[in-house]
């Protein structure tokens, strides 16, 4: 389903802004616009979201633009962002969404958790909206902030749901590093014995990851783990374009595990199953919370929660605001 004309026009107006601002903070505006549009926002609500967000954003560099053949050679270079963006725009125009993603995602997947999963999420929202420029911006963001998180590839003979509690016992006190979420996550990989610690379960499916992500968020209500929920939604949207589905799942799982440990790690308290007597009303309440909020993360969490509930039927997604 395509986005509305109002959303499309605001995305085009917002394309002049850089993918991040301040100290590597994510520009959430395009993701919020797409989420709001999908949730049924009015043109006035979309315009309000645009107007409240743009004052703190920065213009993206527009030149020089060179023809490049390999965006990986221009990672982590803001001065090369215009050329990388041009590359992805051309690939999408020439090959279409599916072929472009099949071609470009393999080199980006090892850094799927980059910038607290925001490169992934912005790309996935662009795919959801079928908006070529947003997909190009998401891929360019992913490439710009490309950072791999190192870990052991060894697999433990236990279920995914039991990995986080085991690691919390092994690393009960991880000091929070200075900086943002990405810095906190990077610090985890410097813990003693980290590279010899198995973090991968023997078997791993998308539904396993989704179940762990929502339980970890509900059991901590931690801001970092909120990105695990929205990121897992993003993973589901791009997974059909990943030729190596197993690799995509494993890379995301690694990011989720490290994100959890970067919280301290916090104790994940059991999620009390709430009896929801009126599911349509609960969904409407979550949607209204998003439409009325000035918090970008509330809007994105509401959208992801409803989309994941529709996909998995897991009622825990309807508890994100309780």
């Amino acid at each position: 389903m395509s986005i509305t004309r109002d959303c499309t026009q605001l995305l085009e107006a917002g394309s002049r802004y850089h993918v991040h601002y301040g100290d590597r903070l994510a520009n959430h505006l395009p993701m919020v616009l797409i989420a709001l549009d999908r949730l049924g926002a009015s043109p006035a609500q979309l315009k309000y979201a645009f107007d409240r967000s743009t004052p703190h954003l920065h213009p993206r560099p527009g030149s020089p633009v060179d023809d490049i053949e390999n965006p990986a050679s221009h990672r982590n270079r803001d001065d090369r962002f215009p050329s990388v963006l041009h590359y992805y725009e051309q690939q999408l125009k020439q090959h279409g969404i599916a072929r472009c993603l099949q071609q470009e995602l393999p080199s980006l997947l090892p850094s799927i958790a980059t910038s607290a999963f925001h490169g992934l999420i912005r790309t996935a929202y662009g795919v959801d909206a079928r908006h070529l420029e947003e997909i190009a911006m998401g891929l360019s963001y992913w490439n710009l902030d490309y950072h791999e998180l190192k870990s052991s590839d060894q697999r433990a003979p236990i279920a995914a749901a039991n990995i986080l509690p085991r690691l919390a016992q092994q690393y009960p006190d991880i000091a929070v590093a200075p900086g943002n979420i990405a810095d906190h996550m990077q610090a985890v990989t410097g813990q003693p014995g980290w590279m010899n610690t198995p973090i991968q379960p023997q078997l791993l499916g998308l539904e396993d990851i989704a179940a762990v992500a929502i339980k970890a968020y509900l059991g901590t209500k931690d801001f970092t783990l909120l990105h695990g929920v929205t990121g897992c939604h993003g993973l589901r949207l791009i997974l059909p374009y990943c030729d190596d589905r197993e690799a995509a799942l494993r890379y995301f799982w690694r990011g989720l595990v490290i994100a959890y440990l970067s919280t301290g790690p916090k104790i994940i308290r059991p999620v009390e199953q709430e009896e929801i007597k009126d599911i349509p009303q609960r969904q409407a309440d979550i949607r209204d919370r998003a439409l009325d909020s000035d918090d970008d993360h509330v809007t994105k969490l509401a959208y992801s929660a409803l989309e994941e509930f529709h996909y998995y039927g897991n009622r825990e997604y309807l508890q994100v605001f309780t």
Side-chain angles (χ1 to χ4, degrees), residues 84-302:
V84 171
L85 177 61
H86 176 69
Y87 169 84
Y88 287 126
E89 289 170 338
Q90 293 304 112
Q91 295 303 308
L92 285 161
K93 289 176 182 177
Q94 292 174 17
H95 304 302
I97 293 174
R99 185 176 172 189
C100 174
L101 291 177
Q102 288 167 345
Q103 171 183 292
E104 303 299 334
L105 285 176
S107 66
L108 294 171
L109 286 175
S111 180
I112 200 167
T114 196
S115 191
F117 302 102
H118 281 114
L120 160 68
I121 297 170
R122 184 156 180 179
T123 301
Y125 275 39
V127 172
D128 194 27
R130 313 301 292 178
H131 194 282
L132 297 187
E133 183 65 15
E134 262 310 293
I135 299 173
M137 289 289 280
L139 292 171
S140 301
Y141 185 8
W142 201 335
N143 189 78
L144 174 65
D145 283 359
Y146 186 98
H147 297 286
E148 291 187 40
L149 296 168
K150 300 299 184 181
S151 73
S152 168
D153 292 327
Q154 183 179 347
R155 300 183 185 183
I158 60 176
N162 296 325
I163 295 285
L164 298 193
R166 171 184 281 196
L167 290 172
Q169 292 181 341
Q170 186 170 349
Y171 296 98
D173 186 18
I174 296 179
V176 175
N180 58 23
I181 294 175
D183 298 319
H184 302 166
M185 291 173 65
Q186 193 68 52
V188 170
T189 65
Q191 298 301 307
W194 173 251
M195 291 304 298
N196 296 319
T197 301
I199 68 169
Q200 295 283 351
Q202 197 69 42
L203 301 175
L204 185 66
L206 177 61
E207 191 164 357
D208 299 323
I209 301 174
V212 170
I214 187 61
K215 287 183 184 296
Y217 175 67
L218 293 179
T220 61
K221 289 299 177 76
D222 183 85
F223 179 67
T224 294
L225 295 176
L226 178 154
H227 294 82
V229 177
T230 54
C232 200
H233 173 209
L235 172 65
R236 179 169 62 80
L237 293 175
I238 71 157
L239 206 55
Y241 306 99
C242 297
D243 288 338
D244 191 343
R245 179 186 175 100
E246 177 80 5
L249 294 174
R250 296 285 175 181
Y251 285 129
F252 186 91
W253 176 257
R254 179 176 68 182
L256 181 62
V257 166
I258 292 173
Y260 167 65
L261 290 174
S262 77
T263 69
K266 291 183 177 177
I267 296 173
I268 302 176
R269 305 193 181 282
V271 179
E272 295 185 11
Q273 295 294 325
E274 178 187 356
E275 182 182 357
I276 304 174
K277 297 181 179 179
D278 191 338
I279 289 178
Q281 183 59 52
R282 175 60 62 87
Q283 294 179 83
D285 291 343
I286 292 173
R287 183 178 63 251
D288 291 345
R289 175 81 173 264
L291 296 178
D292 294 338
S293 179
D294 285 350
D295 187 327
D296 295 343
H297 290 93
V298 167
T299 299
K300 290 169 60 185
L301 178 61

Side-chain angles (χ1 to χ4, degrees), residues 5-141:
R5 178 179 298 180
D6 294 283
C7 183
T8 300
Q9 290 175 341
L10 290 173
L11 285 176
E12 292 171 356
S15 66
R16 71 173 71 100
Y17 297 106
H18 209 335
V19 294
H20 51 52
Y21 66 97
D23 183 17
R24 295 163 295 144
L25 298 174
N27 170 5
H28 291 93
L29 174 59
M31 296 176 279
V32 167
L33 289 173
I34 291 170
L36 287 172
D37 197 63
R38 284 281 194 250
L39 292 168
S42 67
Q45 288 170 317
L46 291 172
K47 185 64 164 57
Y48 174 77
F50 184 90
D51 290 341
R52 71 169 175 79
S53 298
T54 51
H56 65 256
L57 299 178
H58 305 311
R60 63 175 171 86
S63 62
V65 176
D66 300 316
D67 289 324
I68 63 172
E69 296 183 359
N70 182 16
S73 300
H74 306 273
R75 289 171 178 163
N76 302 301
R77 289 187 56 182
D78 198 61
D79 63 313
R80 302 302 288 159
F81 184 87
S83 298
V84 171
L85 177 61
H86 176 69
Y87 169 84
Y88 287 126
E89 289 170 338
Q90 293 304 112
Q91 295 303 308
L92 285 161
K93 289 176 182 177
Q94 292 174 17
H95 304 302
I97 293 174
R99 185 176 172 189
C100 174
L101 291 177
Q102 288 167 345
Q103 171 183 292
E104 303 299 334
L105 285 176
S107 66
L108 294 171
L109 286 175
S111 180
I112 200 167
T114 196
S115 191
F117 302 102
H118 281 114
L120 160 68
I121 297 170
R122 184 156 180 179
T123 301
Y125 275 39
V127 172
D128 194 27
R130 313 301 292 178
H131 194 282
L132 297 187
E133 183 65 15
E134 262 310 293
I135 299 173
M137 289 289 280
L139 292 171
S140 301
Y141 185 8

